[in-house]
Amino acid sequence: MATSGPPSAAAGAGGAPKDSWPDVVGMSSEEAKKKIKEDKPGADVQVVPADAFVTMDYNTGRVRVFVDSNDKVARAPRIG
């Protein structure tokens, strides 16, 4: 059976809800927040420096976007 993309792309397009956004790595924090909000409208999107200390609690309504000193996404944001 042929597919139009990798399983993760198909899952975000109509299958299971997305839990990470590797496609926003390298984008500005504002672009990344917009993309994440499109996929998960109720998310509490938090932009934090890549080297910041954060709590380790798991929160299904939160997505942290870790940015470098140029306000570019440094690693794939994910729910938690």
Side-chain angles (χ1 to χ4, degrees):
M1 177 171 95
T3 60
S4 60
S8 60
K18 285 187 87 164
D19 63 356
S20 67
W21 288 264
D23 50 318
V24 303
V25 173
M27 289 183 178
S28 72
S29 63
E30 287 302 314
E31 291 173 316
K33 281 173 64 173
K34 181 180 175 189
K35 174 68 175 148
I36 293 166
K37 289 281 195 176
E38 286 173 5
D39 294 339
K40 187 170 175 64
D44 174 21
V45 180
Q46 300 175 351
V47 177
V48 293
D51 59 352
F53 288 101
V54 295
T55 61
M56 296 302 295
D57 62 316
Y58 187 81
N59 180 339
T60 59
R62 175 180 61 213
V63 177
R64 287 188 176 130
V65 177
F66 292 92
V67 296
D68 63 19
S69 59
N70 296 315
D71 194 44
K72 300 292 183 191
V73 178
R75 59 182 186 248
R78 62 180 186 201
I79 291 175

